[in-house]
Amino acid sequence: MGLLFEQIDSQPSPLGEITLRRRRIPALGDRDIYEVKLGEEFLMSSMFVDAEVALADLALEVTQGEDLAVVVGGLGLGYTAEAALRNDRVGELLVVDALGTVIRWHEEEKVPLGQALNDDPRCRYVHGSFFELAEPQQGFDPGQPGRLFDAVLLDIDHSPRALLNESNATFYNVESLGRMAQQLRPGGMFGMWSNEPPDEDFLQVLEQVFAAPEARVVSFFNPFQNREATNTVYLARAKGATDQ
């Protein structure tokens, strides 16, 4: 281990070698930066979490009710999950991830937010494919088939077009999103993170399934490029009787 760099873990996965590392860049201040790579591709960095946090904040802000049951699809470095748990109205959080390695990093507290998630009794990890569990006959909660949720927050692919796995493409259409929406209570919220600008074609797909879909642009400063950067958060409400 060097002072400025440490590879914490690297394990094979169905998608390729997945690696967790920590480094410091003196010019950016005295703090650890955690990064996850899949093969040679950077998946995520603790440097850029504004939109991951905003995904939870924006979606739950407009989710009605108390004692909310929430699903986060894609654990990552835990920022969306941790932001959801900071909302006092969340009664239970299921965090779904297909990669057991990523779940173990949190369980073993090799990442900064591992302890916060582990210590919160409302949080439960679910090891499985979000896209398979999004089918109603599967369900996000293995212990309660047919259970309904107040919000489902998705952060797995880079965008509806830039996919982590090509097989995920079958999710971003009217039929699959419609089946996923069957696990939302009437008026429940679907939120999704994207690394790309708002996609009008995808908004039109959402409009066929949900009520009042919208794309919120989240801006943040990128010190590597010395400029403002943006991500997108999609928000859409499950239809109720008055929306049919």
Side-chain angles (χ1 to χ4, degrees):
M1 171 184 170
L3 178 63
L4 300 180
F5 178 84
E6 177 189 11
Q7 181 165 298
I8 298 171
D9 191 28
S10 187
Q11 299 289 336
S13 83
L15 300 177
E17 193 80 6
I18 187 164
T19 302
L20 173 66
R21 60 191 211 174
R22 177 176 57 202
R23 62 176 171 143
R24 288 193 175 191
I25 302 174
L28 298 181
D30 186 27
R31 67 186 179 105
D32 289 330
I33 300 168
Y34 286 79
E35 300 170 331
V36 177
K37 293 182 67 177
L38 183 63
E40 295 304 312
E41 180 182 9
F42 279 94
L43 287 187
M44 61 202 74
S45 168
S46 62
M47 279 286 296
F48 308 111
V49 301
D50 301 69
E52 295 173 36
V53 171
L55 170 60
D57 290 347
L58 293 173
L60 295 178
E61 181 182 21
V62 293
T63 302
Q64 300 297 311
E66 301 291 331
D67 197 25
L68 302 176
V70 179
V71 173
V72 167
L75 175 54
L77 288 171
Y79 286 93
T80 299
E82 194 266 345
L85 290 171
R86 280 192 267 113
N87 190 307
D88 293 336
R89 292 188 299 123
V90 172
E92 185 176 6
L93 179 70
L94 273 60
V95 189
V96 178
D97 204 286
L99 299 178
T101 296
V102 175
I103 293 175
R104 284 194 299 275
W105 289 342
H106 287 75
E107 291 176 332
E108 297 171 3
E109 299 180 2
K110 293 181 177 179
V111 289
L113 297 181
Q115 182 176 1
L117 300 189
N118 295 337
D119 288 351
D120 196 314
R122 297 174 295 166
C123 183
R124 173 156 51 104
Y125 304 115
V126 177
H127 182 201
S129 166
F130 173 90
F131 302 106
E132 293 177 6
L133 299 180
E135 297 289 335
Q137 65 270 26
Q138 295 289 327
F140 292 119
D141 189 343
Q144 298 186 53
R147 183 181 181 188
L148 299 181
F149 296 90
D150 298 289
V152 174
L153 313 177
L154 177 59
D155 177 5
I156 293 178
D157 290 313
H158 299 303
S159 79
R161 315 297 170 198
L163 307 176
L164 193 61
N165 187 326
E166 287 304 316
S167 66
N168 298 350
T170 59
F171 177 75
Y172 300 98
N173 57 54
V174 172
E175 292 76 17
S176 294
L177 285 164
R179 292 193 295 271
M180 184 275 296
Q182 293 177 35
Q183 295 192 61
L184 283 168
R185 292 192 176 98
M189 292 300 300
F190 172 60
M192 194 183 85
W193 173 91
S194 171
N195 189 48
E196 297 184 351
D199 184 324
E200 291 300 324
D201 290 339
F202 183 60
L203 280 168
Q204 290 180 23
V205 170
L206 290 174
E207 193 169 32
Q208 296 179 65
V209 177
F210 297 95
E214 60 176 313
R216 302 272 192 97
V217 175
V218 180
S219 300
F220 55 93
F221 183 70
N222 184 333
F224 297 118
Q225 300 175 340
N226 195 33
R227 66 175 179 84
E228 287 291 307
T230 62
N231 289 165
T232 300
V233 171
Y234 294 96
L235 300 172
R237 179 168 52 83
K239 293 179 179 179
T242 59
D243 298 309
Q244 304 299 326

